[in-house]
Amino acid sequence: MSERKTDIGPPHYEQFLPPIIKENYGKWKYHEIPEPGVLKHVSETGAELYSVRAGAARLISTDFVREVCEVADKFCDGYLRFTSRNNIEFLLTDKGKIAGLKAELKKAGIPIGGTGHSVTSIIHTQGWVHCHTPAIDASGPVKAVMDDLFEYFGTHKLPAQVRIALACCINMCGAVHCSDIAMCGVHRTAPKIMHDRLRHLCEIPTTIASCPTGAIRPHPDKSLKSVSVNEPKCMYCGNCYTMCPALPCFDAEKGGIAILVGGKVSNAKSAPAFSRLAIPYIPNNPPRWPEVVAAIRNILIKYAEGANKWERLGEWINRIGWEKFFEVCDIPFTFQHIDDYKFQAYDTYRTSMHFKF
Amino acid sequence: MSKTPLLDQLESGPWPSFVTDLKRMAAKKPQVKDLLAQLERSYQEKITHWKHGGIVGVLGYGSGIIGRYSDLAETFPGVEHFHTMRINQPSGWFYTTKALRGLCDIWDKHGSGLLNMHGATGDIIFLGTRTENLEPCFAELTANGWDLGGSGSTFRSPSCCLGPARCEWACYDTMEACYVLTQEMQFDMHRPSYPYKYKLKFSGCPNDCVAAVARADLSIIGVWKDDIRIDQAAVKAYAGGELKPRGGATPYAKLDIKADVTDLCPTHCMSYDGKKLAIDNRNCNHCMHCINLMPQALRPGTETGATLLLGSHAPILEGAQLSWVIQPFIVMESPYDEFKELNVRITEWWAEHGKNRERIGELILRLGMREFLEAAELPPAPQQVRIPRANPFFFWQQSDFDAEAKGRKYYTREGFDVE
Ligand code: HEM
Ligand code: HEM
Ligand code: HEM
Ligand code: HEM
Ligand code: SF4
Ligand code: SF4
Ligand code: SF4
Ligand code: SF4
């Protein structure tokens, strides 16, 4: 057997760049978006690169990848890339081939869009397909929401771009906390302690240390060699379960989805911002989560109607005020909306007379 | 009758259906058939059926593989083991079809044939294989030039926007920086030796297309120091409606330069008299708004580099943080020595003082910015804060008094006072 290779790192990107990019690397002058889903980049040398952006599920098969490869061979000399939001970009230089490429994608059921003032693909996590702590599935709600908002994927109808994201539990692997609209799976049940298993499976000090709110204590009955959970202090994060499998905190009936809104990452006009809680809980309703779909559509429509040109969702809310946002979207304001988690809470309390009735 | 009536309802509608895609794989792969059946169970019961546990990996590595076992292995033997492999992506996520097909061949042979292009960290995610397939799969991957990415308490696979490969706004070569740092950090990526995860993300400009500010411990965001380049003729063309705002990607046919651009400039450093656009560049805060709206008229300047921001992570444990500025400007040019050295100082300080599962941003909040800045050998700078403190509860160290005695302007450690 040949020597075992390790630590070689990823292949160098240059071998994957189409010739036009190698020739114009760092020389791009400007871009246009002649139609939804089609980007045209023009170099100082006059060279023109076209990128056709297409949406895909995040969970895909090698069959699908091979299909996409066939399209890229036929129209793009075998060059393509993916965006940070799981979109596929077909790279080509011959403008004449765009129509054929679009037709081929259409035939394959692959939508074109995700540019400019659109709703692009939803960043999301694994859910019931692969993770041990989700409250909800990921691919399913994403599919349901994208079906509903499909008209916004291939158009530029909105006041600004709208980024949607989903995380299936509050660990928020997908970093959904800076999205225009974020769905976040939430548990609402404190862990059930399986004392018999805990004794054998878990190390008590690390289990106690895992809890961000300090809700876990050694069990008063020392002979149990177990822990107790102060339920009112528990925020159902599942950290303890990650440390100790004898502390499951799932509850089929109480789990659900929270909606947070108004975050962004770019610096354009206003600074990057966190998403803030809009709806603390919507029941977990597979396979198509209709209440979640409706809630997101409602917020999107109200935003599209109310926002000024170029205003991101959070910028619109900051202008009108959160109290107006709740009124306009007809969302009830609850105790859950008022932050009481650690040091960031105070920052959110209003210390001025600047508010509306 | 269908065995997956609930999932079947996700086959209709215009958005591509993962169920339809998985079903055709299920026809070839028994493990995918079982995956769908188990997923259907989750849809019925509203509960996950994956267990946490079982340390798995490839020889010599402590990361790159995520162990996953079904809790219904007796009913669905195909998903008894369903481990994930994280394959480190190439910079900018560019591929040739030849390379992609090669990856598909390897994964069809050794795994379920299901994947994500890409996971949230940036890696290619191969979803679902058995323990005994890991080593052969890894051998074939490395033989073809691929390697595993990071997981657990390691240096995670860095990622970057496509930068100079296609974007006129890139203020440094994100693709190369990402590649060089990934290669540099191979040891730390594959052998967990940090308190927790540590991520780098490279964005070429303040639009931050890879969300570096929100999801990288160290965010490297491109910026320029000199003047925005203006093509006045193109500004006129935008004003006249010959050029469409944002390259055409909006519902708006024509720009009103005053209302849409100069009035919305957050620093009010622009003006337009109907003929000429003027920018007071010393007062521009690099927000990108005007450039985004008029890509044919405006471009970042040519004295470029990056701002380093540190500390972002998702909400667990102390609440979410965005990265904050630690070094307002750094030249990012190969071989990136200044950056590499700083990166080492940061990770060494964190490795020494960080508690288990304490991200660097949380450690700084616990020990204080001064501790950190001194360890990283970074001077205090007004760009690091939004506003100074509003209380007089600050501390003095002997070094401050020493500096004062020597008549230095800033009461800081030797070497820091630049003025
Ligand atoms: C017309 C100007 C813009 C162009 C041509 C552009 C181009 C791109 C491209 C090519 C990507 C994919 C990057 C990658 O895969 O690495 C991307 C992503 C992204 N852009 Fe922009 N961008 C523009 C403006 C903006 C603005 C103004 C913002 C924020 C306000 C923004 C936020 C993002 C974000 C969050 C992503 C994440 C990934 C994605 O959506 O694919 N972009 N952009
Ligand atoms: C037995 C096999 C185990 C496997 C396969 C495993 C796998 C994983 C994986 C894949 C993650 C996510 C890491 C990432 O984000 O990349 C994780 C996270 C974690 N695991 Fe485990 N784990 C195992 C055992 C344990 C044990 C025994 C403990 C504690 C005693 C533990 C504590 C944690 C903690 C605290 C995290 C938090 C997330 C992180 O550090 O990234 N794990 N584990
Ligand atoms: C106790 C805390 C956490 C645990 C137990 C945990 C666990 C996990 C596990 C098990 C996975 C693998 C999912 C799968 O493929 O099955 C994962 C993925 C991931 N985690 Fe976490 N995680 C934790 C916190 C976080 C945090 C705070 C972040 C972000 C800052 C994060 C970012 C990620 C990312 C980016 C991935 C890849 C997700 C994807 O590509 O789908 N995790 N985590
Ligand atoms: C060690 C710290 C401080 C000491 C020893 C101190 C001492 C004092 C004293 C002796 C007074 C006059 C009280 C009186 O009129 O009876 C006062 C008033 C005041 N202090 Fe402080 N103070 C401190 C910190 C602060 C801080 C941090 C703030 C605000 C951020 C603050 C805000 C005020 C205000 C607003 C007043 C009232 C002023 C007025 O009546 O016009 N103080 N403080
Ligand atoms: S968000 Fe939570 S449930 Fe979803 S993949 Fe991450 S850790 Fe798992
Ligand atoms: S679920 Fe989270 S908050 Fe609740 S006990 Fe476990 S670690 Fe603590
Ligand atoms: S971050 Fe800036 S340089 Fe990078 S792709 Fe986005 S707009 Fe271009
Ligand atoms: S980049 Fe932003 S701050 Fe600078 S001139 Fe343009 S709009 Fe104003």
Side-chain angles (χ1 to χ4, degrees):
Chain A
M1 205 179 112
S2 61
E3 205 179 315
R4 193 166 175 276
K5 282 197 214 171
T6 61
D7 300 297
I8 58 171
H12 196 277
Y13 52 89
E14 203 179 309
Q15 57 192 286
F16 303 132
L17 300 178
I20 181 175
I21 289 190
K22 276 191 212 154
E23 287 152 21
N24 295 284
Y25 196 88
K27 294 189 206 153
W28 299 104
K29 190 162 173 223
Y30 70 89
H31 72 275
E32 290 177 76
I33 305 180
E35 55 180 300
V38 180
L39 301 139
K40 170 185 171 185
H41 285 81
V42 181
S43 162
E44 273 155 9
T45 65
E48 294 180 355
L49 167 70
Y50 292 88
S51 309
V52 175
R53 191 177 287 178
R58 193 176 95 134
L59 176 56
I60 54 179
S61 70
T62 48
D63 281 356
F64 177 77
V65 176
R66 289 177 203 278
E67 231 173 71
V68 166
C69 285
E70 256 164 57
V71 177
D73 279 343
K74 197 159 155 194
F75 296 95
C76 314
D77 304 319
Y79 293 101
L80 72 167
R81 70 177 291 271
F82 295 82
T83 73
S84 50
R85 305 189 71 93
N86 308 106
N87 291 320
I88 306 165
E89 286 181 347
F90 296 90
L91 307 168
L92 62 173
T93 45
D94 181 355
K95 195 173 159 181
K97 286 187 179 168
I98 295 178
L101 170 60
K102 283 172 59 183
E104 189 98 354
L105 290 174
K106 190 157 187 207
K107 212 169 65 196
I110 301 175
I112 297 164
T115 49
H117 291 202
S118 66
V119 172
T120 185
S121 298
I122 299 181
I123 291 265
H124 60 103
T125 45
Q126 304 289 14
W128 291 333
V129 170
H130 207 255
C131 193
H132 67 294
T133 54
I136 56 172
D137 189 31
S139 304
V142 164
K143 158 82 173 139
V145 170
M146 282 312 283
D147 277 343
D148 185 61
L149 300 182
F150 192 69
E151 61 185 295
Y152 295 101
F153 179 75
T155 55
H156 297 144
K157 294 202 279 199
L158 296 162
Q161 68 270 46
V162 173
R163 312 284 186 198
I164 308 184
L166 175 146
C168 31
C169 86
I170 63 173
N171 285 321
M172 296 200 189
C173 287
V176 307
H177 53 289
C178 294
S179 307
D180 293 281
I181 303 179
M183 294 166 261
C184 182
V186 289
H187 296 292
R188 299 192 303 164
T189 312
K192 293 184 269 295
I193 310 170
M194 302 153 90
H195 296 296
D196 287 348
R197 295 190 62 209
L198 197 142
R199 198 175 321 146
H200 305 294
L201 283 171
C202 313
E203 202 190 315
I204 290 178
T206 51
T207 306
I208 291 172
S210 75
C211 178
T213 66
I216 305 180
R217 291 262 166 304
H219 200 281
D221 180 354
K222 289 225 166 51
S223 68
L224 271 179
K225 294 207 177 74
S226 185
V227 298
S228 67
V229 173
N230 179 358
E231 294 201 2
K233 277 180 92 173
C234 173
M235 58 151 178
Y236 332 109
C237 68
N239 264 290
C240 53
Y241 175 64
T242 292
M243 280 295 173
C244 168
L247 288 167
C249 60
F250 309 129
D251 180 323
E253 292 318 312
K254 279 195 189 158
I257 296 187
I259 308 279
L260 294 91
V261 301
K264 77 197 271 274
V265 292
S266 102
N267 287 275
K269 299 201 296 296
S270 57
F274 291 127
S275 314
R276 306 273 165 183
L277 185 64
I279 306 176
Y281 176 77
I282 302 177
N284 196 3
N285 197 0
R288 295 199 68 103
W289 288 269
E291 300 87 351
V292 174
V293 170
I296 290 180
R297 168 167 283 269
N298 174 43
I299 293 170
L300 187 79
I301 298 289
K302 294 293 195 274
Y303 154 72
E305 287 169 1
N308 287 342
K309 281 199 266 185
W310 326 112
E311 248 174 0
R312 291 285 290 263
L313 203 142
E315 293 169 333
W316 166 62
I317 299 176
N318 282 334
R319 178 169 56 80
I320 64 170
W322 281 93
E323 64 280 26
K324 276 283 165 204
F325 165 78
F326 288 109
E327 180 189 312
V328 169
C329 294
D330 196 18
I331 296 170
F333 190 81
T334 65
F335 282 123
Q336 279 72 24
H337 286 94
I338 303 177
D339 195 351
D340 47 15
Y341 189 70
K342 301 209 172 179
F343 67 92
Q344 288 158 336
Y346 166 81
D347 256 10
T348 65
Y349 303 154
R350 194 186 310 256
T351 53
S352 76
M353 293 301 295
H354 300 169
F355 55 82
K356 305 172 186 176
F357 293 107
Chain B
M1 207 193 81
S2 165
K3 291 204 177 88
T4 54
L6 291 175
L7 289 174
D8 293 351
Q9 295 179 48
L10 288 168
E11 289 200 86
S12 56
W15 190 252
S17 169
F18 69 99
V19 176
T20 308
D21 195 12
L22 263 58
K23 275 190 175 174
R24 64 178 168 174
M25 222 47 205
K28 295 185 260 183
K29 296 248 180 200
Q31 63 267 54
V32 178
K33 201 167 153 223
D34 278 354
L35 179 75
L36 277 169
Q38 178 177 312
L39 188 59
E40 179 76 12
R41 269 283 277 276
S42 286
Y43 269 61
Q44 284 162 7
E45 298 168 5
K46 303 189 200 177
I47 222 151
T48 190
H49 282 293
W50 299 106
K51 290 196 285 197
H52 180 268
I55 291 167
V56 286
V58 298
L59 200 65
Y61 278 24
S63 75
I65 313 279
I66 292 174
R68 187 62 75 218
Y69 299 87
S70 168
D71 66 13
L72 299 172
E74 278 171 24
T75 326
F76 306 118
V79 290
E80 180 189 11
H81 299 193
F82 211 68
H83 311 319
T84 309
M85 302 182 79
R86 291 185 177 173
I87 321 298
N88 202 157
Q89 81 285 6
S91 286
W93 299 295
F94 283 91
Y95 297 92
T96 56
T97 50
K98 182 163 172 273
L100 277 181
R101 287 204 182 90
L103 284 167
C104 290
D105 291 342
I106 296 173
W107 191 231
D108 281 342
K109 187 162 146 200
H110 298 287
S112 71
L114 302 186
L115 68 168
N116 300 142
M117 297 295 286
H118 299 79
T121 309
D123 306 281
I124 302 161
I125 307 286
F126 280 180
L127 273 172
T129 193
R130 298 186 58 84
T131 305
E132 60 272 22
N133 297 335
L134 293 171
E135 198 59 46
C137 188
F138 176 69
E140 208 165 329
L141 282 166
T142 50
N144 285 279
W146 301 95
D147 200 347
L148 297 183
S151 68
S153 295
T154 62
F155 182 81
R156 299 297 186 85
S157 318
S159 67
C160 64
C161 78
L162 44 51
R166 200 187 61 193
C167 188
E168 65 268 26
W169 299 331
C171 292
Y172 69 96
D173 192 339
T174 50
M175 303 266 291
E176 192 198 21
C178 181
Y179 178 78
V180 170
L181 264 295
T182 307
Q183 289 295 350
E184 174 88 6
M185 301 297 284
Q186 284 297 304
F187 189 89
D188 299 54
M189 181 182 289
H190 294 134
R191 285 150 207 93
S193 59
Y194 290 157
Y196 201 7
K197 58 183 93 168
Y198 183 73
K199 303 181 181 180
L200 302 187
K201 288 196 195 293
F202 300 87
S203 274
C205 82
N207 277 336
D208 194 2
C209 292
V210 289
V213 76
R215 37 184 219 170
D217 295 274
L218 183 48
S219 321
I220 303 98
I221 303 184
V223 72
W224 66 98
K225 275 183 127 170
D226 54 347
D227 298 353
I228 292 178
R229 287 175 280 171
I230 310 182
D231 176 345
Q232 296 287 356
V235 176
K236 270 215 188 80
Y238 280 107
E242 294 100 71
L243 291 175
K244 305 269 172 276
R246 286 195 77 172
T250 77
Y252 315 121
K254 184 174 156 181
L255 270 187
D256 175 339
I257 307 268
K258 183 172 178 323
D260 295 330
V261 184
T262 60
D263 284 358
L264 295 181
C265 166
T267 60
H268 303 292
C269 69
M270 315 181 85
S271 59
Y272 182 64
D273 62 5
K275 290 197 267 320
K276 198 163 175 258
L277 182 74
I279 302 179
D280 169 9
N281 280 283
R282 300 287 73 73
N283 281 307
C284 159
N285 73 5
H286 316 104
C287 84
M288 295 295 292
H289 171 67
C290 58
I291 300 176
N292 286 338
L293 257 50
M294 303 195 286
Q296 289 195 53
L298 303 177
R299 271 200 283 173
T302 52
E303 190 191 346
T304 57
T307 300
L308 303 183
L309 303 93
L310 189 79
S312 71
H313 60 82
I316 304 285
L317 299 170
E318 291 297 325
Q321 288 171 212
L322 290 172
S323 289
W324 57 89
V325 175
I326 57 164
Q327 183 167 352
F329 191 79
I330 182 171
V331 175
M332 288 294 286
E333 272 167 19
S334 194
Y336 307 100
D337 285 339
E338 187 188 347
F339 179 78
K340 285 181 191 166
E341 285 160 18
L342 176 63
N343 188 48
V344 168
R345 290 196 294 276
I346 292 172
T347 48
E348 279 182 353
W349 179 74
W350 173 53
E352 186 179 334
H353 299 283
K355 292 193 276 199
N356 184 29
R357 296 193 65 221
E358 185 172 46
R359 297 283 284 267
I360 177 86
E362 294 170 323
L363 174 64
I364 294 174
L365 292 194
R366 182 161 64 81
L367 295 186
M369 265 289 268
R370 177 169 186 163
E371 269 302 281
F372 165 73
L373 289 172
E374 293 201 332
E377 296 174 26
L378 293 171
Q383 288 83 0
Q384 290 160 348
V385 298
R386 207 160 33 79
I387 38 174
R389 69 167 77 216
N391 61 65
F393 310 148
F394 36 79
F395 301 92
W396 295 92
Q397 297 182 5
Q398 189 54 45
S399 57
D400 298 318
F401 298 123
D402 296 347
E404 196 174 29
K406 285 187 193 155
R408 287 213 303 267
K409 184 169 170 190
Y410 295 112
Y411 300 144
T412 57
R413 230 177 59 181
E414 199 117 20
F416 275 13
D417 40 358
V418 259
E419 300 295 291

